[in-house]
Amino acid sequence: MYYSLSDFSDRLRIACTAENAQFFIVYHINPDGDCIGSAYALALILRELGAKVCVCGRDSVPEQFRSMTAAVSMDSLDESAQYIAVDCSDRSRTGQVLGTKQYAFWIDHHGAENEQAAIEYVHPERSACSELVLDLAEMLGVPITKQLADLLYTALVTDTSCFRTSSTNEASFLSAARLIQAGANPYEIGRKQTMIKSKERIALESRIFSGLHELCGGRLITGMITQKDLAEIGIADQNAPAMQNINNLLEIIGSAELTVMVREYPPENPEGHSRFAVKAISPLYSAKAIAKHFGGGGHIPAAGGFLKKSPEETRALLEDYCCKLLG
Ligand SMILES: [Mn+2]
């Protein structure tokens, strides 16, 4: 059930001050800056309130965030620990990393159709989950240290691609201002997380552009990244730093109304070996509805999912469907 900020904070405070309070904080599969920054910041906040904490996720923390997360120590927890999910639209995004136990708390800015936990703080209109964690810290009276501000600002800047996504709004900037006031350095974090490109990233981008499909008079742009591309360039896997925000790359084509990026995963990937990411640049279309048609999910402007098909087949299916939509 959705709770207001003050009711959610009250419940969290009560849970944290109980005897032997312990929390597993779970971030989503294929982690990004938002889920990582939000989860580790929440760990610091709950610890400040007296709880033991341990952050976990199915996939390890991407390299570009490790200098921040390594500074947050983890406690060892026992069976009585409660679960909190951050930045997960629904249970499938947790990767069932802790089995099937019920989650006590849920903090997210996507919004699932069904209830995911008894106590939820969910605001789909917010541009990053870290904004919700910041609200909570302030409501709980936890001081925003530079360490917290760096984690939360990194989350905000990566989820909004430096305040350029369609989800960016007044609240994003108000959150950013509070975090900068608390010591986050916008130039350092912005440059590190969104400007610098590795040699591997530059090679990957040029490969994607050389294999670009421009359809429906340029209104639909699709790109594809195969396992062979990754191997030849020397990118370890789909979670490597060179892959961050790669789904946004196709937006630089001015005529694009819809973009689709298809990424091949190893055949043993449980969700399927082709991941697709749809972006609706024109407000006339819903990426969420397109992804849903293929069993995926997400936001109206950006959504995706997995198919148990080859990347070529996945690309063709998405192209066919999107072309029909564009008419
Ligand atoms: Mn997010």
Side-chain angles (χ1 to χ4, degrees):
M1 189 183 125
Y2 283 11
Y3 276 58
S4 68
L5 176 60
S6 67
D7 289 345
F8 189 92
S9 307
D10 286 347
R11 298 298 293 260
L12 204 52
R13 185 196 304 280
I14 292 165
C16 284
T17 48
E19 200 171 327
N20 193 31
Q22 309 181 24
F23 292 96
F24 277 116
I25 301 164
V26 178
Y27 59 80
H28 62 69
I29 56 176
N30 309 308
D32 57 17
D34 190 25
C35 73
I36 296 294
S38 298
Y40 281 83
L42 187 64
L44 293 172
I45 294 163
L46 301 188
R47 178 175 284 154
E48 185 70 25
L49 295 174
K52 283 186 176 174
V53 291
C54 182
V55 176
C56 54
R58 189 194 69 182
D59 307 315
S60 57
V61 174
E63 205 274 332
Q64 78 198 89
F65 308 119
R66 280 187 207 151
S67 61
M68 281 189 314
T69 60
V72 183
S73 65
M74 294 293 122
D75 300 314
S76 55
L77 309 184
D78 64 38
E79 300 262 280
S80 67
Q82 302 192 71
Y83 297 175
I84 304 187
V86 290
D87 200 31
C88 297
S89 49
D90 59 39
R91 285 292 293 267
S92 69
R93 294 284 287 159
T94 66
Q96 310 290 13
V97 67
L98 296 168
T100 52
K101 195 174 149 179
Q102 279 301 313
Y103 277 72
F105 295 92
W106 202 273
I107 304 171
D108 180 43
H109 71 128
H110 299 88
E113 275 164 24
N114 312 316
E115 182 176 289
Q116 303 299 313
I119 305 169
E120 299 173 308
Y121 184 47
V122 177
H123 278 277
E125 78 284 3
R126 303 300 289 273
S127 61
C129 191
S130 74
E131 290 188 63
L132 303 179
V133 176
L134 174 62
D135 290 349
L136 281 170
E138 290 175 341
M139 184 57 87
L140 289 161
V142 172
I144 311 299
T145 59
K146 176 164 164 51
Q147 187 184 19
L148 259 185
D150 284 345
L151 283 161
L152 294 173
Y153 190 85
T154 298
L156 179 58
V157 97
T158 51
D159 235 33
T160 59
S161 288
C162 244
F163 308 100
R164 288 180 313 203
T165 55
S166 57
S167 62
T168 304
N169 54 30
E170 186 184 356
S172 327
F173 286 98
L174 291 170
S175 301
R178 279 137 69 198
L179 294 168
I180 292 165
Q181 219 162 31
N185 184 320
Y187 176 65
E188 259 173 36
I189 298 176
R191 178 166 183 268
K192 177 174 181 199
Q193 301 296 347
T194 68
M195 279 166 67
I196 291 174
K197 291 181 180 180
S198 63
K199 269 189 221 139
E200 290 79 14
R201 174 60 175 236
I202 292 166
L204 178 68
E205 290 189 2
S206 84
R207 218 172 251 240
I208 292 166
F209 286 128
S210 68
L212 212 63
H213 289 183
E214 295 189 54
L215 303 153
C216 308
R219 295 164 67 209
L220 171 64
I221 309 291
T222 75
M224 188 165 82
I225 306 162
T226 63
Q227 288 289 304
K228 187 166 166 277
D229 292 328
L230 299 188
E232 286 173 6
I233 297 168
I235 296 174
D237 57 43
Q238 291 283 359
N239 294 318
M243 302 300 295
Q244 284 288 318
N245 284 328
I246 196 71
N247 300 334
N248 299 335
L249 185 70
L250 306 177
E251 268 188 77
I252 70 169
I253 310 289
S255 58
E257 292 179 36
L258 285 173
T259 70
V260 178
M261 185 74 87
V262 174
R263 296 158 61 174
E264 184 184 15
Y265 275 63
E268 64 275 14
N269 190 54
E271 301 107 324
H273 59 283
S274 290
R275 178 180 176 188
F276 62 92
V278 183
K279 296 208 72 177
I281 292 139
S282 161
L284 295 176
Y285 303 100
S286 163
K288 187 178 181 176
I290 296 168
K292 208 174 164 193
H293 179 81
F294 291 99
H299 300 274
I300 289 168
F306 282 88
L307 286 180
K308 289 182 171 149
K309 294 185 181 297
S310 73
E312 293 81 6
E313 279 177 283
T314 302
R315 187 183 200 175
L317 279 170
L318 267 296
E319 285 178 349
D320 191 51
Y321 187 78
C322 291
C323 273
K324 283 191 185 122
L325 272 182
L326 288 165

